[in-house]
């Protein structure tokens, strides 16, 4: 039998979710073709704000990779859009001239951002916040411009504004109403939200009516009706969406605000359906994710049932929303404005910044607004969905988070198995518990991979985590990552126990803290060894058996078991004498490859382990630390002494820094660079600590990484003297040494704890002084590891010598 | 130098040349082995190549009767010679006797 042919117009969340549901029900029934306008596979548009805010990469928000399309034999055209639909011959034609016949056609054309028709809205620098390209434009703009204006104080506008703040732009949000998110919040919660965001550095202009955007080719400001003006190099419009219906209209489908559909997502034309933001059901166009998924499910059921109408079809959705801005918890659902027949339960704690309002009509919850503590949201949503009679319930039963007794029972315990945990993907508590039990899941990510829960907006992640800990009986919340499989304790807990109990040996730590393995493993042992050294830098004797080979042998292992040797060259500066020595050693040991490293040092590759001590002796140079979880090299540009542009002595400062911190152990490798001008020839912008000289000052950047997760460093401080540079590095480094988890690069640490957390910690003069003192103490213990080995026959024998046994008969 | 006690027992080292927690590379008759001294002075010997990509096991982190390959962190059971699940693969193991603090390898 020939397969039925489905064509999907629109490669977004609603359409592809429909396909997923169809494939789940009947993997082989249909031949599927997808046309998408954007040049990407299907991605999670809701998480664009996380990309902009720097919490997620573009790759990580892809929902269905190209492989998924391939595996399911879906024909995919990206960057191509359907321009004509002929419903008589049942064919579509794309912009690139591709023509396909369909049996069933699904419109999932979504919506476009609504651009206010203001004079000047066509200028360069005026954009929406809707797709990956907008996101990239904002990131690029932030590199060259400082001032941004966001028009629209709704969900999207605020998320965009937060992202722009993270990109170091000054942001002012222009909003027409007198409080924020007026469609989702009541005035009380809206005002609390404004206060919270103002504390984060956002500025607001409420009751503001924009007249036009000024500027020549590029926008340079916003002019308001009252005559006031705001300078802006970037204007982001986030005022709403406009369903994409032009193609549908042209094809003769009935449209109102969007494409009109019935309970089975059928349009006015046979075999043509619509889902998502381009569809209008019972007069409502939804712009949130959960309804789109519910529609997708209803449509899949209908299509797979061969056009039989399965009752009851799609019945509309309860709309709820959550703001994705770190540090601000906002939730709203249903009808939350007070009406004539409504009564409400309110909790308002101005000290804690908590506001809760549950709106009740006819003894049923019909809406809610939660600010500051949103833990009751799933329960309230379920009550709303089920139309539960609450006349006999106490306040604490409706808002369990208000239960003040010490033994606060987890919200998830009270939930029925049928209750939904993840609204976006329709995953119930029962589904998750079953998956955890049957497949032995232990992390939120595993639950996500197995059940889809928390795969979309991520709002239910705390609940999933809680359910995980309740189900597995693990005391700790699953947010906590154990150090490794040998212990339940997190990195932080192990480090704290070592401190509190004054532990001194790796084996002692494992015994006292109840390790489940006798000897630990390759993950916990190096970490424990590091924490022990951190806690007692002077007396602790480093445990070389708990070190990775590179650190144990002070050279880098290569894929053939030979090693590479990098001699120290402070600041990347060398001289003819050193070069001659290196050349002689290369000849003597027949070094197969000499290479300049990314950190400006010379690497001698292909040296046998047993030759290492001899090579070091012949070199007579210090170890270049190219192998340790420690301070590596300080890369420098030429600087003021030779360069036409250099404003500072970058080489001098680089050498000073490298000498000072040489050999200091850190949670992971730390790379530094000093550039003498913003041209950044030493690539200071992608280093753990990068220093850029400008006229009369040094800018210090932190948290950059040129490795797997490419990340730009963030400006941390601007100082004037070399001593201030060193003090800043000392306090930052020591805080990183004490606060980060072992094997956590500064980039991940900065992202996890936030730059503000670090800045705040180092603002305190006293704390700063203590950190500097502690790093100085640790530095007194440093010695060159190569000469250390050369002085110890024992070390040479046990670590480097190999045994050779000749057998003759 | 010939160091044969009898046909199978070949003397390879003094026990004190081996440290607990640090592997020792040994070449013998064209073979490369790794020796691991245990807490109880037993010595385990395996072929010095990880079944994964030939990593030098003698340079790995040792955890009792297991070694973690320094190349890609595979965990190898030194007594059985097997990679610990989820990885699969096997290295050859060799019997070792300790006689008067001498380490003797049993070869076929």
């Amino acid at each position: 039998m020939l397969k039925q042919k489905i064509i999907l117009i629109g490669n977004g969340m609603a359409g592809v979710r429909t396909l997923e549901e169809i494939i789940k029900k009947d993997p082989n029934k249909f031949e599927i073709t997808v046309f998408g306008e954007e040049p990407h596979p299907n991605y999670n548009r809701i998480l664009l704000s996380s990309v902009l805010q720097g919490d997620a990469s573009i790759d990580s928000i892809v929902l269905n990779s190209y492989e998924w399309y391939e595996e399911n034999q879906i024909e995919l055209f990206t960057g191509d859009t359907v321009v004509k639909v002929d419903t008589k011959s049942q064919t579509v034609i794309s912009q690139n001239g591709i023509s396909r016949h369909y049996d069933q056609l699904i419109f999932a054309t979504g919506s476009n951002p609504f651009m206010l028709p203001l004079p000047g809205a066509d200028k360069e620098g005026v954009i929406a916040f809707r797709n990956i390209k907008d996101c990239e434009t904002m990131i690029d703009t932030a590199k060259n411009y400082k001032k941004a204006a966001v028009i629209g104080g709704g969900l999207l506008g605020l998320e965009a504004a937060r992202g722009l703040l993270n990109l170091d732009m000054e942001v002012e949000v222009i909003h027409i109403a007198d409080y924020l998110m007026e469609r989702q919040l009541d005035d009380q919660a809206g005002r609390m939200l404004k206060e919270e965001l103002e504390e984060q550095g956002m500025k607001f202009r409420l009751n503001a009516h924009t007249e036009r955007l000024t500027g020549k080719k590029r926008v340079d400001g916003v002019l308001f009706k009252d005559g006031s003006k705001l300078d802006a190099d970037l204007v982001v419009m986030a005022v709403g969406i406009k369903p994409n219906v032009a193609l549908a209209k042209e094809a003769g489908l009935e449209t109102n605000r969007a494409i009109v559909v019935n309970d089975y997502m059928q349009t006015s034309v046979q075999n043509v359906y619509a889902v998502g933001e381009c569809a209008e059901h019972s007069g409502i166009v939804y712009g949130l994710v959960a309804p789109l998924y519910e529609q997708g499910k209803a449509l899949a059921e209908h299509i797979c049932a061969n056009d039989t109408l399965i009752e009851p079809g799609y019945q509309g959705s309860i709309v709820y929303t959550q703001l994705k801005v770190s540090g601000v918890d906002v939730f709203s659902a249903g009808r939350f404005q007070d009406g004539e027949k409504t009564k409400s339960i309110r909790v308002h704690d101005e000290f804690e910044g908590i506001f809760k309002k549950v709106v009740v009509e006819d003894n049923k919850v019909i809406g809610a607004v939660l600010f500051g503590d949103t833990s009751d949201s799933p329960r309230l949503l379920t009550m709303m969905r089920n139309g539960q009679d609450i006349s006999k319930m106490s306040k604490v039963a409706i808002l369990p988070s208000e239960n003040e007794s010490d033994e606060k029972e987890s919200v998830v315990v009270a939930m029925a198995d049928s209750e939904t945990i993840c609204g976006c993907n329709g995953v119930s508590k029962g589904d998750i518990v079953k998956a955890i039990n049957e497949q032995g899941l232990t992390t939120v990510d595993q639950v996500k991979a197995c059940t889809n829960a928390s795969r979309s907006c991520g709002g239910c992640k705390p609940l999933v985590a809680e359910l995980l800990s309740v189900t597995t009986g693990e005391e700790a919340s699953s947010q906590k990552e154990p150090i490794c499989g040998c212990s339940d304790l997190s990195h932080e807990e192990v480090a704290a126990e070592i401190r509190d109990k004054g532990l001194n040996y790796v084996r002692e730590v494992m015994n006292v803290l109840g390790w489940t393995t006798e000897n630990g493993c390759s993950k916990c042992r190096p970490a424990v060894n590091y924490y022990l050294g951190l806690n007692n830098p002077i007396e602790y004797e480093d445990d070389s058996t708990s070190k990775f080979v590179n650190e144990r042998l002070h050279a880098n292992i290569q894929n053939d078991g030979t090693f590479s040797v990098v001699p120290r060259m402070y600041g990347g500066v060398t001289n003819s004498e050193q070069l001659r020595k290196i050349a002689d050693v290369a000849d003597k040991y027949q070094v197969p490859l000499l290479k300049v490293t990314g950190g400006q040092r010379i690497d001698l590759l292909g040296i046998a382990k047993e030759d290492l001590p001899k090579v070091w002796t012949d070199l007579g140079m210090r170890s270049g630390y190219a192998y340790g979880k420690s301070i590596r090299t300080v890369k420098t540009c030429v600087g003021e002494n030779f360069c036409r542009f250099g404003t500072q002595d970058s080489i001098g400062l680089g050498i000073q820094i490298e000498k000072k911190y040489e050999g200091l152990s850190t949670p992971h490798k730390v790379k530094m660079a000093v550039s003498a001008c913003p041209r950044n020839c030493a690539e200071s912008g992608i280093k753990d600590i990068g220093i850029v000289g400008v006229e009369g000052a040094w800018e210090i950047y932190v948290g950059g990484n040129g490795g797997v997760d490419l990340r730009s460093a963030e400006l941390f401080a601007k100082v004037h003297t070399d001593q201030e540079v060193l003090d800043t590095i000392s306090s930052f480094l020591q805080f990183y040494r004490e606060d980060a988890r072992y094997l956590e690069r500064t980039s991940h640490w900065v992202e996890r704890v936030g730059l503000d957390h670090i800045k705040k910690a180092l603002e305190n003069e006293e704390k700063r002084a203590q950190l500097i003192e502690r790093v100085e103490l640790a530095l007194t213990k440093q010695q060159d590891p190569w000469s250390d080995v050369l002085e110890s026959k024992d070390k040479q024998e046990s670590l480097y010598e190999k045994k050779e046994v000749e057998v003759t008969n | 130098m010939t160091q044969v006690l009898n046909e199978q027992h070949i003397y390879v080292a003094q026990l004190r040349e081996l440290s607990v927690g640090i592997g020792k590379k040994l070449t013998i008759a064209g073979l490369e082995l790794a020796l691991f001294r245990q807490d109880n002075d037993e010595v385990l010997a395996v072929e010095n190549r990880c079944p994964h990509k030939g990593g030098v096991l003698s340079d790995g982190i040792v955890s009792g009767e297991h070694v973690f390959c320094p190349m890609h962190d595979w965990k190898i059971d030194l007594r059985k010679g097997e990679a610990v699940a989820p990885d699969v693969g096997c290295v050859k193991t060799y019997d070792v006797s300790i006689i008067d603090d001498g380490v003797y390898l049993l070869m076929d």
Side-chain angles (χ1 to χ4, degrees):
Chain A
M1 195 181 91
L2 269 177
K3 281 188 183 177
Q4 281 225 13
K5 178 108 194 134
I6 294 181
I7 291 181
L8 170 66
I9 310 178
N11 189 28
M13 298 177 72
V16 176
R17 173 46 68 98
T18 308
L19 296 184
E20 283 186 330
E21 295 282 349
I22 290 173
I23 292 165
K24 207 157 79 183
K25 282 184 187 307
D26 216 333
N28 298 314
K29 187 168 174 185
F30 301 99
E31 204 180 304
I32 303 172
T33 300
V34 180
F35 290 93
E37 189 176 12
E38 284 190 67
H40 307 278
N42 177 36
Y43 65 89
N44 192 337
R45 202 181 296 278
I46 313 169
L47 291 185
L48 269 184
S49 56
S50 304
V51 173
L52 186 64
Q53 290 171 25
D55 297 332
S57 66
I58 285 181
D59 281 347
S60 72
I61 66 166
V62 167
L63 286 171
N64 300 81
S65 62
Y66 289 114
E67 287 81 40
W68 178 83
Y69 292 89
E70 245 169 62
E71 275 163 26
N72 290 290
Q73 296 172 348
I74 295 171
E75 184 182 32
L76 171 68
F77 298 101
T78 54
D80 192 7
T81 177
V82 171
V83 291
K84 192 171 163 39
V85 174
D86 183 342
T87 56
K88 287 212 176 60
S89 64
Q90 305 206 148
T91 46
V92 303
I93 298 168
S94 82
Q95 195 161 31
N96 293 344
I98 290 157
S99 162
R100 288 284 183 280
H101 171 82
Y102 68 81
D103 297 302
Q104 322 272 2
L105 179 65
I106 302 171
F107 273 84
T109 46
S111 63
N112 279 328
F114 180 66
M115 298 299 276
L116 292 169
L118 296 170
D122 53 350
K123 289 187 199 306
E124 198 183 307
V126 181
I127 58 167
F129 182 32
R130 178 68 188 163
N131 55 31
I132 287 180
K133 192 163 160 273
D134 295 328
C135 212
E136 288 168 342
T137 306
M138 289 191 225
I139 292 168
D140 285 344
T141 308
K143 288 177 189 149
N144 299 313
Y145 296 96
K146 273 286 157 242
K147 286 181 189 304
V150 175
I151 304 183
L155 201 66
L156 201 61
L158 296 178
E159 289 179 2
R162 178 65 246 183
L164 291 166
L165 275 187
N166 287 7
L167 293 169
D168 270 339
M169 291 192 87
E170 291 164 29
V171 185
E172 187 146 342
V173 176
I174 300 161
H175 195 44
I176 199 159
D178 57 1
Y179 63 91
L180 299 175
M181 287 177 70
E182 80 281 3
R183 303 247 295 279
Q184 290 89 18
L185 300 180
D186 69 354
D187 50 349
Q188 188 61 51
R191 268 189 278 277
M192 291 173 84
L193 176 62
K194 177 165 168 271
E195 272 172 33
E196 183 76 47
L197 292 173
E198 275 169 343
E199 262 173 44
Q200 296 193 2
M202 230 177 262
K203 288 189 204 134
F204 294 97
R205 196 176 284 234
L206 300 180
N207 292 311
H209 298 262
T210 311
E211 169 99 19
R212 63 187 170 90
L213 306 179
T214 59
K216 284 187 179 148
K217 190 160 163 253
R218 184 179 181 90
V219 68
D220 68 9
V222 182
L223 186 69
F224 298 96
K225 287 221 166 97
D226 63 6
S228 59
K229 237 197 120 192
L230 173 70
D231 289 338
D233 310 309
L234 174 74
V235 174
V236 180
M237 284 204 204
V239 290
I241 52 168
K242 195 176 62 191
N244 236 327
V245 295
L247 182 67
K249 236 183 198 169
E250 218 173 90
L253 274 61
E254 185 193 340
T255 59
N256 188 19
R257 228 196 115 209
I259 306 169
V260 178
V261 294
N262 64 11
D263 289 356
Y264 303 95
M265 313 318 291
Q266 291 170 311
T267 68
S268 58
V269 174
Q270 208 174 4
N271 297 333
V272 182
Y273 308 86
V275 278
E277 290 176 331
C278 67
E280 178 177 322
H281 175 264
S282 298
I284 303 173
V285 180
Y286 295 95
L288 295 161
V289 68
L292 313 186
Y293 284 2
E294 286 172 34
Q295 292 177 357
K297 202 164 184 173
L299 174 55
E301 229 160 64
H302 179 66
I303 282 185
C304 292
N306 290 330
D307 246 1
T308 339
L309 301 180
I310 303 174
E311 297 289 340
Y314 175 65
Q315 294 295 305
S317 299
I318 293 171
V319 179
Y320 65 92
T321 181
Q322 241 159 338
L323 184 68
K324 291 181 295 302
V325 169
S326 60
V328 189
D329 293 318
V330 184
F331 167 86
S332 91
R335 287 160 46 206
F336 51 82
Q337 301 286 10
D338 300 307
E340 273 179 23
K341 294 194 308 191
T342 64
K343 284 185 180 167
S344 56
I345 303 168
R346 283 166 201 267
V347 176
H348 186 185
D349 182 340
E350 287 188 293
F351 289 99
E352 297 285 322
I354 287 172
F355 174 79
K356 298 173 193 175
K357 174 178 172 186
V358 179
V359 182
V360 179
E361 188 180 283
D362 297 333
N363 287 325
K364 284 174 188 147
V365 176
I366 59 160
V369 177
L370 304 174
F371 184 93
D373 172 10
T374 56
S375 58
D376 293 328
S377 55
R379 193 169 168 72
L380 289 166
L381 264 180
T382 311
M383 286 178 158
M384 289 167 65
R385 287 207 180 94
N386 299 347
Q388 194 172 342
D389 188 326
I390 59 155
S391 49
K392 293 203 177 73
M393 290 171 78
S394 67
K395 187 189 91 179
V396 165
I398 296 166
L399 287 171
S401 63
E402 289 302 298
N403 183 352
E404 291 190 359
S405 71
D406 282 345
E407 288 183 26
K408 206 190 271 184
E409 194 177 55
S410 161
V411 195
V412 290
V413 174
M415 291 172 81
D417 275 356
S418 61
E419 282 190 43
T420 305
I421 297 253
C422 172
C424 295
N425 297 294
V427 190
S428 70
K429 176 184 167 185
D431 296 338
I432 297 175
V433 170
K434 198 170 152 215
I436 293 172
N437 287 336
E438 285 179 1
Q439 303 183 47
L441 310 181
T442 55
T443 67
V444 175
D445 277 345
Q446 288 171 348
V447 174
K448 185 163 127 190
C450 279
T451 66
N452 267 341
S454 87
R455 187 178 159 210
S456 299
C457 80
C460 62
K461 212 168 175 179
L463 275 182
V464 173
E466 219 170 303
L467 188 53
L468 192 64
S469 60
V470 168
T471 310
T472 56
E474 299 280 326
E475 276 296 306
S477 104
S478 66
Q479 302 292 51
K480 179 180 112 176
E481 268 176 71
I483 190 164
C484 69
C486 305
S487 168
D488 293 334
L489 300 173
S490 67
H491 280 267
E492 287 82 358
E493 287 167 333
V494 172
E497 293 278 355
I498 288 174
R499 233 177 7 250
D500 298 346
K501 297 199 162 85
L503 305 177
N504 285 309
Y505 302 96
V506 174
R507 285 297 275 267
E508 184 188 12
V509 171
M510 299 193 296
N511 284 334
V512 173
L513 303 183
W515 246 239
T516 56
T517 56
E518 200 184 334
N519 294 293
C521 69
S522 56
K523 299 197 178 45
C524 59
R525 288 241 310 270
V528 168
N529 183 44
Y530 170 78
Y531 295 132
L532 285 166
L534 181 69
N535 185 49
N536 191 353
I538 299 304
E539 278 141 39
Y540 179 66
E541 198 174 324
D542 195 46
D543 173 21
S544 68
T545 70
S546 292
K547 295 207 122 172
F548 297 119
V549 56
N550 292 351
E551 291 188 275
R552 183 167 62 241
L553 299 181
H554 309 289
N556 270 329
I557 195 165
Q558 303 299 319
N559 60 9
D560 61 352
T562 65
F563 288 79
S564 84
V565 169
V566 180
R568 179 69 71 184
M569 285 177 183
Y570 295 102
V573 175
T574 184
N575 56 34
S576 53
E577 193 194 340
Q578 284 185 342
L579 290 174
R580 246 188 305 272
K581 261 190 202 159
I582 291 173
D584 287 343
V585 166
D587 285 344
K588 182 170 171 188
Y589 295 91
Q590 299 184 342
V591 173
L593 179 68
L594 282 162
K595 160 113 185 49
V596 177
T597 70
Q600 297 177 327
R601 306 302 135 95
I602 292 176
D603 198 356
L604 296 90
L605 292 121
I607 295 177
K609 179 163 89 170
E610 49 275 22
D611 285 339
L612 287 172
K614 287 181 259 171
V615 167
W616 298 337
T617 308
D618 289 353
L619 281 172
M621 294 167 73
R622 290 169 75 93
S623 161
Y625 268 96
Y627 42 78
K629 310 291 175 230
S630 62
I631 302 296
R632 295 276 176 103
T633 49
V634 180
K635 187 171 183 173
T636 62
C637 73
V638 167
E640 66 178 358
N641 293 336
F642 286 90
C643 174
R644 283 181 298 150
F645 303 109
T647 61
Q648 301 274 12
D649 177 16
S650 51
I651 295 179
L653 182 62
I655 292 175
Q656 207 183 335
I657 294 172
E658 190 166 331
K659 286 200 163 153
K660 181 169 175 65
Y661 301 103
E662 181 177 352
L664 182 67
S665 69
T666 38
H668 209 301
K669 60 184 168 190
V670 170
K671 298 186 174 185
M672 298 196 258
V674 186
S675 300
C677 83
R679 282 170 192 76
N680 238 323
C681 293
E683 294 158 346
S684 303
I686 48 163
K687 293 288 186 276
D688 296 275
I689 301 177
I691 295 150
V692 179
V694 292
E695 206 53 63
W698 294 105
E699 290 177 341
I700 302 175
Y701 293 81
V702 298
N705 186 359
V708 179
D709 297 314
L710 187 68
R711 184 180 194 271
S712 301
E714 294 176 66
L715 183 61
F716 184 67
K718 190 166 177 175
V719 299
H720 297 280
T721 65
D722 289 5
Q723 190 54 46
E724 285 173 300
V725 173
L726 294 175
D727 285 350
T728 307
I729 296 177
S730 285
S731 54
F732 177 82
L733 266 184
Q734 185 63 13
F735 192 51
Y736 167 57
R737 296 180 77 225
E738 294 175 8
D739 194 68
R741 297 168 187 158
Y742 188 68
L743 291 190
E744 187 171 42
R745 288 292 298 265
T746 59
S747 57
H748 293 134
W749 174 61
V750 168
E751 274 184 15
R752 179 168 64 85
V753 304
L755 196 62
D756 285 345
H757 164 77
I758 301 166
K759 279 184 176 162
K760 229 174 245 169
L762 303 190
E763 260 167 26
N764 181 328
E765 277 303 323
E766 199 187 328
K767 172 142 196 198
R768 231 173 107 88
Q770 288 167 352
L771 286 166
I772 293 172
E773 198 178 310
R774 287 203 288 273
V775 82
E776 292 291 347
L777 186 73
L779 284 168
T780 59
K781 192 70 190 305
Q782 298 311 322
Q783 53 178 344
D784 179 50
W786 289 355
S787 42
D788 186 45
V789 170
L790 295 179
E791 281 163 19
S792 161
K793 264 248 136 328
D794 272 1
K795 280 187 185 168
Q796 287 177 41
E797 263 173 25
S798 80
L799 292 170
Y800 299 92
E801 267 179 18
K802 76 167 176 187
K803 291 293 294 178
E804 261 175 287
V805 176
E806 218 175 287
V807 183
T808 51
N809 289 317
Chain B
M1 184 168 49
T2 312
Q3 294 186 320
V4 180
L5 184 74
N6 59 35
E7 276 176 325
Q8 281 93 32
H9 281 77
I10 301 166
Y11 170 82
V12 292
Q14 277 292 303
L15 188 61
R16 56 161 183 79
E17 293 176 75
L18 310 179
S19 320
V20 177
I22 303 262
K24 178 64 90 186
K25 185 159 100 178
L26 167 75
T27 55
I28 176 167
L31 281 174
E32 189 176 310
L33 309 186
L35 304 178
F36 299 92
R37 177 171 169 179
Q38 301 293 298
D39 274 334
N40 61 1
D41 287 347
E42 191 183 353
V43 172
L44 300 175
V46 299
E47 182 189 353
N48 198 21
R49 284 176 61 82
C50 178
H52 177 216
K53 290 202 166 164
V56 182
L57 295 177
S58 56
D59 285 330
I61 289 184
V62 184
S63 174
E65 296 187 354
H66 291 91
V67 66
F68 292 86
C69 174
M71 296 270 287
H72 304 99
D73 209 33
W74 277 36
K75 187 179 181 183
I76 309 294
D77 183 327
L78 296 172
R79 198 172 286 281
K80 294 186 203 149
E82 285 168 5
V84 175
D87 298 323
V88 285
C90 207
V91 284
K92 217 169 162 203
T93 59
Y94 297 86
D95 289 336
V96 175
S97 308
I98 311 288
I99 303 163
D100 292 339
D101 285 343
V103 181
Y104 293 82
L105 206 62
L106 243 75
M107 304 285 279
D108 300 331

